Amino acid sequence: MQEKNKDNNSAWNMLTLKTYLGKLRKFFKIWLIATIIIAVLNVGINLGLNLFNGTVQTTVNFSFDGIESGIDPNGNKFDVNDIKSKEIVQESIDELGLGLNAEDIINYISIDGIVPEDVIERITHYNSILSSGSSNNTIDTYRNIQDTSYYPTQYKISLECHEVGLGQKDSAALLNKITEKYYTEFYNKYGYNESLGAAVKSIDYKDYDYVDAIEVFNASLGSLKNYINELASSDQTRFRAENGYTFADISASIDTIRNEDLDWISSYIFLNNVTKDKKTLIENYKFRIEELEREKTIAEETIDSVTESIEVYEKNAILIFNNATEGVNAEIYESSDTYDSLISKKLSAQSSYSSCEEKIKLYESRIKSLESGNSDQSDIEAVELQLDNVSAKIDTLLETASETSKEYYEENYLNNAYTVLEPASSSVISIVVSSVKDSMRNIMVFELFLTALYFTVSAIDGFRKTPEGSGAESKKSKKK
């Protein structure tokens, strides 16, 4: 019985480094073959799926302030699905002449954020903490949630071409055209304000009388100047475009047109009473005077009412008793928000009243001038020629502002804000490369498991004692 127990206790050897290395060599070929098989199977499966499913894909990257928090360049929530908007997809289809409907394509375009491994581990770790209920502090929990919030900056865009009835070549071309179209859309939306230029051009000065055309030009140029000045204030590099212009140059050009050209035309119009329709213009001035009289009356009533309120208003007083000065009381008035508001309201009403008076006098003067004189055809031709020249200058200025602003956004302010890292391709090599990339994560997981199994099995086999009469021991016995 004792001998039997002794045999059982001696069924395992002490594991030495030499023995362990020998066991590793013993199982190395098996581990290597299994490793290769796993890698080939994973790549093969993904390659088969890509070939038979006919999926093409591209990778895009966003890089601008706020993207890491899910915010677009304008400070609003960023929506990457704008890439596959109906307008962009339909325009891409039409340009390629594919004869499809965007609504039939959009559902088979998927956009997936690429999340780094370390972020996945961090989120997984937080989820395990949350599920275990170990977080007792609300603030700590909130911080953990913030730590696990992640907004991708890179996205993989895939198109299932077999679902939309396209070959891989046409599918790749369509996907590349969509990402190309989005580039233009991105910089139109977050770059130069195209709508501002369109608004300026959409107003035809010829629809107005000459004096009103001056006001239209002035208002449009004022809006453009404000926009250019905003860009100049955000520019820290003294940007100069390829056309040679800076924002300061454009702003100065706007001032020149307003202060030189428009002022000269305005003076000429008033001095020579130039108008398309004198009677209509006089009636228009009279109507404006009536409107201004009403505004003036309202402002006057506001002034009287506020003045009365100020006079009866008594600010709270604070009495400070000074014992060291024979009981002399010092009275200090406490600042009052209500009192300050009344003063501000009175000043605003007075400003409005003065402005109305000034404009009324101006229109009355113009009416008298128009009624006392007439312009001849040469004056009309001179004004129209100058207005045409100003309109041409503004068109050139808008083109320059557009070129400069777009270049500034694309090469400076939003430089590389949107880039296509890997265009879609239908070649066999690209499909193989894509399949290998898609397989890497699974391969790594399986290989780590297989390697751990390899080391474990080698160690167990090193501990195990070979039974007498078998294997190496039987060979040793025969030699003896």
Side-chain angles (χ1 to χ4, degrees), residues 8-244:
N8 289 337
N9 291 335
S10 62
W12 300 94
N13 285 330
M14 290 295 295
L15 180 65
T16 63
L17 179 60
K18 182 178 180 181
T19 303
Y20 186 54
L21 292 176
K23 297 300 180 181
L24 288 174
R25 284 193 295 271
K26 175 183 175 182
F27 294 106
F28 178 75
K29 287 184 179 179
I30 298 174
W31 172 81
L32 182 61
I33 292 171
T35 298
I36 294 172
I37 291 173
I38 288 174
V40 171
L41 281 175
N42 272 277
V43 174
I45 290 171
N46 278 291
L47 181 61
L49 289 173
N50 286 337
L51 287 173
F52 289 106
N53 288 342
T55 301
V56 294
Q57 60 187 30
T58 181
T59 305
V60 299
N61 179 73
F62 294 94
S63 178
F64 53 83
D65 291 340
I67 182 61
E68 67 284 350
S69 302
I71 304 299
D72 68 17
N74 291 339
N76 303 314
K77 184 178 179 181
F78 178 67
D79 187 3
V80 71
N81 288 307
D82 288 344
I83 294 177
K84 60 175 186 177
S85 68
K86 183 179 178 180
E87 293 76 16
I88 290 178
V89 174
Q90 191 62 59
E91 286 178 10
S92 301
I93 291 171
D94 294 342
E95 285 192 19
L96 294 173
L98 299 177
L100 298 173
N101 193 317
E103 294 179 352
D104 299 330
I105 301 289
I106 293 173
N107 292 333
Y108 299 103
I109 299 176
S110 59
I111 304 176
D112 302 305
I114 300 174
V115 183
E117 290 291 334
D118 61 324
V119 175
I120 295 176
E121 292 175 2
R122 177 158 51 87
I123 294 174
T124 305
H125 174 67
Y126 168 72
N127 287 336
S128 64
I129 293 175
L130 186 62
S131 60
S132 66
S134 60
S135 178
N136 298 319
N137 191 298
T138 304
I139 296 177
D140 289 341
T141 303
Y142 176 72
R143 287 174 180 168
N144 286 334
I145 292 173
Q146 284 188 317
D147 290 340
T148 56
S149 297
Y150 182 80
Y151 295 90
T153 58
Q154 292 184 4
Y155 293 86
K156 182 173 69 176
I157 308 172
S158 305
L159 172 61
E160 299 175 42
C161 38
H162 69 290
E163 294 288 351
V164 297
L166 291 175
Q168 290 195 348
K169 184 177 180 180
D170 286 337
S171 297
L174 176 58
L175 200 55
N176 288 331
K177 179 61 70 174
I178 288 171
T179 55
E180 178 189 327
K181 284 285 182 184
Y182 181 72
Y183 180 91
T184 304
E185 177 67 22
F186 180 88
Y187 282 100
N188 283 344
K189 184 174 182 179
Y190 303 117
Y192 173 65
N193 188 354
E194 293 281 1
S195 60
L196 177 63
V200 174
K201 288 186 175 182
S202 66
I203 301 175
D204 189 355
Y205 72 93
K206 293 180 180 180
D207 294 336
Y208 300 86
D209 207 331
Y210 303 123
V211 66
D212 294 324
I214 299 297
E215 293 182 5
V216 169
F217 280 138
N218 255 320
S220 299
L221 289 172
S223 299
L224 181 61
K225 181 178 172 65
N226 290 336
Y227 177 73
I228 293 298
N229 287 345
E230 286 179 9
L231 292 182
S233 64
S234 67
D235 176 27
Q236 305 298 323
T237 61
R238 300 178 70 103
F239 176 77
R240 183 180 294 276
E242 288 186 4
N243 56 25

Side-chain angles (χ1 to χ4, degrees), residues 73 98 100 125 132 246-247 268-269 339 343-344 346 349 363 402 407 412 460:
L98 299 177
L100 298 173
H125 174 67
S132 66
T246 65
F247 293 126
Y268 191 91
I269 290 171
Y339 184 81
I343 294 295
S344 176
K346 180 179 179 181
Y363 289 137
S402 175
E407 190 176 332
N412 192 315
I460 292 173

Side-chain angles (χ1 to χ4, degrees), residues 322-338:
N322 190 338
N323 295 327
T325 54
E326 300 179 355
V328 175
N329 295 337
E331 189 177 69
I332 299 178
Y333 289 98
E334 182 183 9
S335 177
S336 168
D337 290 339
T338 304

